[in-house]
Amino acid sequence: MSIAARSLFWVVSFGTLGYGLFTFVKPDDELLQKIDNSSKHTDSRKAAKDTISVLKAAINQESDIKRLSRRDAQRLEKLQKAHKAREEVEATSETEDYFSGAFKIRSENVEQLLTQVPSLEMDILAQHFDIVKREINELQKFVVTSSFFLKEFNMRKYLGIVQNLQTKCYELEDTFVPRKKFGFTRKKLPKSHSQKQHSIDESDSSGKIDSNKWDEKLFGFDSKEDKVLSLENVDLFQRDVALRNLKNCTVSLKGVMGTLHITNLDNCIVLSGPVTSSVFVEKCTNCKIVTACQQLRMHSSLKCDIYLHVTSKGIVEDCLDIRTAPYNLTYDDLDKHFNMSMLDRNSNNWDCLDDFNWLAPDIPSPNWSILDVSQRVTNWDEWWSKTPL
């Protein structure tokens, strides 16, 4: 028998025997499990297992490193932010310290100027008060322009000090520089409005400079007719604004002014934001004026409606048919402008005017009255862009 045939015989024989044993004799499962478990601990499997463990450890280590790096980066970012915030706080503190010192010096200078008033000669008092008012306006500008770093509480405190200085200035001025035309030297017979106007015109032409004449130092509008005129806060802020010789015009002033002079207007509408000190109205006829201020002085005017917010008593003289109503203007930034002006919105004497031509304390003046609600303009929005009818 050849070798190939012999090999085939043995393979078939052992294969048949093995199949028979496997078929008729069931293997023990626990024995097979033990054999399998023992096979797992061969050297090759141990080596493979160790390799996998090392790789897993390496991966975990790399993950830990990344996590630690990320945590360090976050910690560093927090430290940088904290350092920057501390620097900003220190810078703001230093700036506020500088501002506080500078404000104290300026306010004390104004106080000193005010204490000099009683000892000054009458002929230089007017010029002295002009200097004081200019210093107060500059002090107020100093506060407002520093609002970007001042806390709101501190800003209100400083503006309150400025307002107190303004009030003291005007009280001293009223005491030591009384207006001559407000006085009464002797009792005179009443004049008609035309006679009063003629007398005033003669006085203006023969005396001092005509109040209607435009001065190059003034800022505002002069000698316009049938126009819509407007100025914004960027141009108006704390300036002395003058409106003169206007006819059939609408003037919108959306901003904070130092003073407002309105002279010789005929059939005009004036829509004004807050004025930190005084509004002067003179020789106006058939006008509607909407304004907010600390003081109102109105002279030689006829048939005017004043929509008013005034924190002290307004004064009228040589006026006829003046009607008042509460201030009701609205526009963007009005609240902000009121805060900047430091006018008290809770104090409004719009319905309480003093008439220097009416001496009877127990009888209301016939020269001014409260405008009936049914006749008031309740919304000025349409008037920003058109002239009076």
Side-chain angles (χ1 to χ4, degrees):
M1 182 181 294
S2 63
I3 296 175
R6 190 180 301 167
S7 298
L8 179 59
F9 170 78
W10 287 112
V11 169
V12 173
S13 300
F14 281 110
T16 302
L17 179 61
Y19 178 77
L21 291 173
F22 186 80
T23 302
F24 296 105
V25 181
K26 294 182 179 180
D28 189 350
D29 292 337
E30 293 183 0
L31 179 62
L32 291 175
Q33 184 69 28
K34 289 180 180 180
I35 294 173
D36 184 63
N37 288 338
S38 63
S39 66
K40 290 181 181 178
H41 297 283
T42 60
D43 293 340
S44 59
R45 286 207 169 197
K46 285 184 179 180
K49 186 177 180 180
D50 292 342
T51 302
I52 292 173
S53 300
V54 171
L55 291 174
K56 287 183 177 180
I59 292 173
N60 291 335
Q61 186 177 9
E62 184 179 357
S63 177
D64 291 340
I65 292 173
K66 287 183 178 180
R67 186 169 60 254
L68 291 173
S69 299
R70 185 165 57 251
R71 187 180 300 171
D72 289 340
Q74 292 174 349
R75 187 183 296 111
L76 180 60
E77 183 179 1
K78 288 182 180 179
L79 289 173
Q80 289 175 344
K81 287 182 178 180
H83 181 67
K84 183 178 180 181
R86 185 165 57 250
E87 287 182 343
E88 290 176 353
V89 170
E90 291 175 354
T92 300
S93 178
E94 291 176 0
T95 306
E96 287 197 15
D97 289 343
Y98 166 77
F99 173 86
S100 177
F103 180 88
K104 182 179 180 181
I105 293 173
R106 291 189 179 191
S107 60
E108 288 178 349
N109 178 53
V110 174
E111 287 279 7
Q112 186 176 5
L113 290 173
L114 291 174
T115 57
Q116 295 173 0
V117 170
S119 61
L120 296 177
E121 299 293 334
M122 181 65 69
D123 56 344
I124 65 171
L125 274 177
Q127 182 180 2
H128 184 76
F129 277 112
D130 288 340
I131 294 173
V132 174
K133 292 175 184 176
R134 185 168 59 250
E135 290 295 324
I136 292 175
N137 285 338
E138 289 297 323
L139 185 60
Q140 188 173 42
K141 288 181 184 178
F142 182 50
V143 176
V144 174
T145 53
S146 303
S147 60
F148 70 95
F149 65 82
L150 286 177
K151 296 178 181 178
E152 184 176 356
F153 171 80
N154 290 334
M155 182 177 176
R156 288 185 175 276
K157 179 185 71 174
Y158 290 122
L159 286 176
I161 295 173
V162 174
Q163 188 176 30
N164 290 337
L165 291 174
Q166 287 177 332
T167 302
K168 186 176 181 180
C169 175
Y170 283 110
E171 288 176 350
L172 287 172
E173 186 178 29
D174 288 341
T175 301
F176 290 93
V177 190
R179 298 178 182 273
K180 292 182 179 180
K181 54 185 177 181
F182 289 170
F184 297 91
T185 56
R186 66 177 184 273
K187 188 174 181 180
K188 297 181 180 181
L189 294 176
K191 294 182 180 180
S192 67
H193 179 73
S194 59
Q195 289 175 324
K196 291 177 181 178
Q197 186 67 44
H198 180 69
S199 175
I200 292 172
D201 291 341
E202 286 182 349
S203 175
D204 288 341
S205 61
S206 61
K208 296 183 179 180
I209 298 173
D210 187 357
S211 60
N212 291 331
K213 187 176 180 181
W214 186 259
D215 189 333
E216 293 299 327
K217 296 179 181 179
L218 297 175
F219 172 77
F221 299 108
D222 180 42
S223 302
K224 305 289 184 182
E225 185 172 348
D226 299 319
K227 300 289 185 182
V228 175
L229 310 168
S230 63
L231 290 169
E232 299 292 331
N233 192 55
V234 65
D235 299 313
L236 293 170
F237 184 69
Q238 290 300 344
R239 298 187 71 169
D240 295 334
V241 180
L243 308 176
R244 300 194 174 188
N245 306 316
L246 306 180
K247 184 176 182 180
N248 198 44
C249 291
T250 295
V251 184
S252 68
L253 306 171
K254 295 181 180 180
V256 184
M257 290 151 279
T259 60
L260 177 60
H261 300 260
I262 304 174
T263 307
N264 197 27
L265 270 59
D266 182 17
N267 193 39
C268 290
I269 293 177
V270 178
L271 307 176
S272 163
V275 180
T276 57
S277 55
S278 298
V279 173
F280 302 95
V281 182
E282 185 176 9
K283 299 179 183 177
C284 292
T285 303
N286 195 31
C287 293
K288 290 180 173 59
I289 301 172
V290 189
T291 189
C293 58
Q294 188 179 77
Q295 293 180 320
L296 172 71
R297 301 287 188 268
M298 192 169 186
H299 308 285
S300 309
S301 296
L302 175 67
K303 293 183 178 180
C304 290
D305 292 342
I306 310 295
Y307 293 76
L308 181 64
H309 182 104
V310 60
T311 57
S312 63
K313 272 192 175 183
I315 294 175
V316 295
E317 184 183 21
D318 294 334
C319 295
L320 291 174
D321 199 12
I322 304 301
R323 302 186 300 180
T324 66
Y327 184 84
N328 60 352
L329 191 65
T330 58
Y331 65 86
D332 293 341
D333 293 332
L334 177 62
D335 291 337
K336 177 181 177 181
H337 293 165
F338 257 103
N339 290 334
M340 294 168 67
S341 71
M342 284 302 293
L343 293 178
D344 185 358
R345 301 196 74 168
N346 297 319
S347 176
N348 189 3
N349 297 296
W350 65 273
D351 57 350
C352 189
L353 302 183
D354 282 338
D355 185 357
F356 279 12
N357 293 114
W358 191 253
L359 303 181
D362 54 341
I363 302 176
S365 168
N367 299 321
W368 74 274
S369 62
I370 295 176
L371 179 60
D372 189 83
V373 175
S374 63
Q375 298 179 332
R376 297 176 188 175
V377 178
T378 58
N379 191 331
W380 297 98
D381 290 348
E382 62 177 310
W383 290 104
W384 294 108
S385 58
K386 69 177 186 179
T387 57
L389 301 176

